[in-house]
Structure formats: C-alpha cells, structure tokens
C-alpha cells in the first residue's frame, strides 16, 4: 500500500469512529505522520528463512499491504474439533512443580485470593472476579499494560488500534490524573491491541504487515524483527473494528507467547489459531513449543494465557460473556470451562494477564478495568 493510500485509509477510519481523548504525542488514530526508519544497524529484520537474525533496515518507501485489524486477542469459535466430552481439569504438572524463579523474586504482594507466591502456577482456574474500573481514558479501542518483570509500577498505554505512540505513566495514580511521564514515538506503527511490554521492551505487530517487532524502551531502537510466514493474512482492509487482533502477544509465568491465525498443515485449507512460545530475545519460535488449537476466528472474542493454558472469551461486545474455550499446552487437550466473564461496558478490545500481580488488564469501551484470577486449589 502506498503511503498516500495508507493516509487515506487512516482518514476514513477517523471519520468512521471519532475519538474521545488523544494521548500525549497523538493527534488521533492514524495522523501520527510518516513512519520513521531507524538508523542503520539498529534494526534486526528476518530473512526469508531466518526469523531471528538481524539484517539491514527496511527502506522507508517499501510497499505496505493491508491487514485485518482488531482486540487484544484472536476470536473464538465454537467449532471445536476433536473435543473430548469429558471435561478434564487443566493441571499443568510441569508448571506447578517448577514455577518460575524470575517472578518469585518480585514483590510478594498478591492481589488474588490464593496464597501461593506470585509467578507460581496453582491448578485449575476457578473464577474470574470483577471487573474493577481503574480509570476512564482515551478512545473506545486501546490497550494498557504493565511489565511483569519490572520492579516499578509503570503503566503503558496505546490509545486506539492504530498508531505509533506508546505513552508511559509512572503508576496507577498518575494514570488516573493523566500525568504521563514518558512518550515513545515508534519508528513503525502498530496495529490492533495485542501488544505487551515485557522485560523492558515493547512487542507489537507492525501495521499492515506480517512483521512482529521488539522495541527496546531504554535504548529506544528496534532490537529484533521477524516475519510470520504462515500467518493467515487478510488482504482486504476492514473499515471498522472487527473484534480481534490478527496477531496477539501474551505473557504468563512461562514467559512470552504469540497467538495468530494460520492455515492448517493437513491439507484442508482451514484456518486454525496457533499458540507458540516466543523467544523474547530474537522473536524466534520452535516447532516443539507451537500448538495448533481448535479455535477459529469466525467468532470474535478475546483470549489470554495463564500457566501455559490458553483461555478464550466468546464475546467482546455482550455484557454477559463466558470463557468457553481452553487449550492446555501441557496435556495437548482442550475443554469448555464455562466460566462467567463480564464485559461491563460491552466493548472489550483487550484482555491481558499479568503474572506478577495475577490480574487481567482489559480495555472496555474507553474504560481500563482489572479482573482477579482465582484458582480452584
């Protein structure tokens, strides 16, 4: 897509959904200006057969293609293949035995009702309580997040589902007051709301491409770049929010995950939702830690990962929804948990789990809310 065409697209998006509040450094949706190309030597871009290596910078005038837009996670489908009718509990033996020391050394304050240390997985997810409204800020669509490996309480915000500005707040109180402490103008725009901040870096899907980017917040440069060659890429550009992000990052006690749609590898040409463990350093994935789940993106919703288990909510715009799908990477099984989930403002565009404080962070129609995660044992 030529730059003029992208600008025209953004203007149409702005006309279709006016904003509520522009963040610092933002003029709304797509009016952030032309993407800037990082200085040479700072961009690591994957070659056709190498997703994790650095390579020369991408020319600023490269062709851009359109990609489907949408919330912090990929959609849910009721078309579950090979679903066991016996609902087996999600145990995750390896997680319960080992946990992760990187989270165990963090602040020991635990906001859930369970008594186990932060970062150590318990057992079966029992209940999601809430939501609790923390703030009202920004556009109808957006995402807010915290770095689970950081010792501070900084909050990061992307206002809208397209842009190139990441806004930082020192803590929740400053966020409520609208007092931002830092603003990052990214060299490449993001699309959707499926981003995360993890170990001092911002991970996101570059707008209108199959590329994923790791942006170092301290050094302010693109630290890694990779292409998702098997992602089911939407060539037609949607003119409104469609209820999901095509590429979604997630964080749990095990580290960084990537969730995206791909064609199955059995010759049926059907889309499946792929869950893959992501190397946070170079954005590489391994076949041994990649799973093709029973999810489809015919039905829209949000999803998140807790203790190596992918959970999906069946609706993003109905107030009374359900967590009606779960895939356990430890046992390669899927179940229908039927846990209640409330979209209080009926327009949830992001749900992300933070393993440090065991809260779900969600953006619901311009409201930033949290949910408590409670385990059965």
């Amino acid at each position: 897509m030529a730059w003029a065409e992208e600008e025209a697209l953004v203007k149409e998006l702005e006309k279709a959904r006016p904003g509520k509040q522009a963040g610092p450094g933002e003029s709304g949706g797509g009016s952030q200006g032309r993407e800037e190309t990082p200085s040479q030597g700072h961009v690591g871009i994957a070659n056709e057969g190498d997703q994790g290596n650095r390579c020369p910078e991408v020319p600023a005038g490269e062709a851009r293609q359109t990609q489907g837009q949408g919330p912090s996670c990929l959609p849910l489908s009721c078309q579950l293949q090979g679903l066991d009718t016996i609902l087996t509990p999600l145990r995750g033996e390896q997680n319960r035995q080992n946990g992760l020391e990187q989270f165990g050394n963090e602040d020991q304050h635990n906001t859930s009702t369970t008594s186990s240390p932060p970062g150590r997985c318990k057992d079966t997810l029992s209940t999601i309580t809430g939501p609790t409204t923390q703030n009202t800020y920004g556009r109808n669509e957006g995402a807010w997040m915290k770095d689970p490996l950081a010792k501070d309480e900084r909050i990061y915000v992307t206002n809208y589902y397209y842009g190139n500005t990441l806004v930082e707040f020192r803590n929740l109180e400053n966020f409520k007051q609208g007092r931002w402490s830092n603003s990052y103008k990214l060299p490449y725009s993001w699309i959707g709301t499926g981003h995360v901040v993890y170990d001092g870096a911002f991970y996101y899907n570059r707008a209108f491409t199959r590329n994923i980017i790791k942006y170092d917040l301290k050094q302010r440069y693109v630290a890694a770049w990779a292409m998702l060659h098997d992602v089911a890429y939407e060539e037609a550009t949607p003119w409104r929010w469609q209820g999901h992000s095509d590429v979604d990052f997630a964080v749990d006690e095990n580290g960084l995950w990537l969730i995206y749609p791909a064609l199955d590898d059995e010759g049926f040409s059907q889309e499946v939702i792929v869950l893959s463990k992501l190397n946070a350093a170079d954005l590489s994935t391994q076949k041994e830690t990649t799973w093709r789940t029973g999810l489809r993106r015919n039905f829209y919703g949000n999803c998140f990962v807790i203790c190596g288990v992918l959970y999906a909510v069946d609706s993003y715009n109905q107030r009374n929804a359900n967590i009606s799908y779960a895939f356990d990477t430890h046992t390669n099984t899927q179940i229908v948990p039927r846990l209640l989930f409330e979209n209080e403002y009926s327009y949830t565009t992001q749900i992300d789990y933070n393993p440090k404080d065991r809260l779900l962070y969600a953006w619901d129609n311009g409201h930033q809310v949290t949910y408590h995660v409670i385990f059965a044992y």
Side-chain angles (χ1 to χ4, degrees):
M1 176 183 289
W3 176 254
E5 294 175 324
E6 184 176 331
E7 279 291 295
L9 166 64
V10 170
K11 290 180 180 179
E12 291 297 326
L13 287 170
E14 288 298 306
K15 292 178 182 179
R17 183 176 298 282
K20 291 164 56 176
Q21 179 181 345
E26 299 175 336
S27 55
S31 57
Q32 291 82 355
R34 182 184 295 270
E35 298 174 2
E36 301 174 2
T37 303
S39 59
Q40 189 169 5
H42 285 280
V43 178
I45 179 171
N47 293 325
E48 199 57 30
D50 183 1
Q51 296 186 3
N53 294 331
R54 296 171 182 263
C55 72
E57 63 181 344
V58 178
E62 70 172 355
R64 292 173 173 82
Q65 292 180 302
T66 58
Q67 183 176 15
Q69 304 166 352
S72 79
C73 186
L74 295 168
L76 172 66
S77 171
C78 298
Q79 304 172 14
L80 309 182
Q81 297 181 341
L83 180 63
D84 192 346
T85 56
I86 301 176
L87 303 184
T88 58
L90 302 175
R91 296 294 177 183
E93 285 293 334
Q94 181 177 354
N95 258 351
R96 293 203 313 275
Q97 293 174 5
N98 298 329
L100 281 186
E101 293 302 325
Q102 60 182 347
F103 291 108
N105 294 329
E106 297 290 346
D107 183 7
Q108 294 299 307
H109 175 65
N110 186 6
T111 53
S112 74
T113 58
T114 178
S115 59
S116 65
R120 291 189 178 274
C121 294
K122 286 286 288 182
D123 206 303
T124 305
L125 181 63
S126 172
T127 309
I128 301 292
T129 65
T132 300
T133 301
Q134 303 291 352
N135 197 17
T136 300
Y137 174 93
R139 309 292 290 270
N140 294 333
E141 302 89 351
W144 70 306
M145 62 214 82
K146 292 169 64 177
D147 186 343
L149 296 185
K151 295 182 179 180
D152 54 48
E153 297 298 320
R154 281 178 290 182
I155 291 172
Y156 300 88
V157 172
T158 55
N159 191 13
Y160 204 43
Y161 62 84
Y162 172 83
N164 66 352
T165 302
L166 175 68
V167 183
E168 175 188 305
F169 298 86
R170 194 176 305 277
N171 50 43
L172 180 59
E173 188 59 33
N174 284 12
F175 181 38
K176 292 179 179 179
Q177 297 171 359
R179 296 170 52 196
W180 56 278
S181 56
N182 216 335
S183 180
Y184 304 86
K185 182 153 185 188
L186 304 170
Y188 300 103
S189 295
W190 39 261
I191 196 77
T193 59
H195 350 283
V196 297
V197 174
Y198 181 73
D199 200 16
F202 179 57
Y203 295 82
Y204 68 99
N205 175 208
R206 184 186 177 188
F208 313 115
T209 74
R210 295 181 173 89
N211 299 324
I212 56 176
I213 291 176
K214 173 186 178 180
Y215 182 81
D216 189 299
L217 296 176
K218 184 176 181 180
Q219 302 295 329
R220 291 179 180 255
Y221 78 106
V222 175
W225 180 313
M227 177 180 288
L228 300 176
H229 297 282
D230 61 339
V231 65
Y233 186 76
E234 288 186 1
E235 298 294 341
T237 303
W239 291 90
R240 61 182 177 84
W241 178 261
Q242 292 196 329
H244 66 91
S245 293
D246 280 338
V247 177
D248 182 43
F249 294 87
V251 175
D252 76 343
E253 290 79 1
N254 298 289
L256 194 61
W257 297 86
L258 189 63
I259 309 162
Y260 64 94
L263 293 178
D264 65 39
D265 53 2
E266 296 181 358
F268 297 108
S269 297
Q270 294 181 347
E271 285 186 5
V272 296
I273 298 305
V274 173
L275 173 65
S276 185
K277 191 73 171 58
L278 190 64
N279 186 309
D282 60 10
L283 303 181
S284 62
T285 59
Q286 301 295 327
K287 184 176 181 180
E288 296 76 15
T289 52
T290 298
W291 296 266
R292 293 177 178 264
T293 72
L295 290 178
R296 304 288 183 270
R297 62 176 175 179
N298 299 332
F299 293 83
Y300 298 101
N302 294 275
C303 62
F304 50 91
V305 179
I306 299 179
C307 294
V309 179
L310 173 70
Y311 295 94
V313 181
D314 57 10
S315 175
Y316 74 96
N317 58 5
Q318 294 182 6
R319 178 163 183 167
N320 297 316
N322 289 279
I323 298 175
S324 56
Y325 180 88
F327 182 88
D328 188 349
T329 62
H330 307 289
T331 59
N332 292 325
T333 58
Q334 52 190 1
I335 71 165
V336 182
R338 298 297 182 191
L339 300 175
L340 295 178
F341 189 93
E342 181 180 355
N343 297 307
E344 183 174 2
Y345 302 100
S346 302
Y347 194 62
T348 301
T349 57
Q350 172 231 4
I351 303 175
D352 277 321
Y353 175 63
N354 188 302
K356 178 181 176 180
D357 51 22
R358 284 191 175 159
L359 292 175
L360 294 178
Y361 288 77
W363 189 292
D364 189 354
N365 206 10
H367 302 273
Q368 293 74 48
V369 303
T370 55
Y371 299 81
H372 284 265
V373 175
I374 299 176
F375 293 90
Y377 306 99

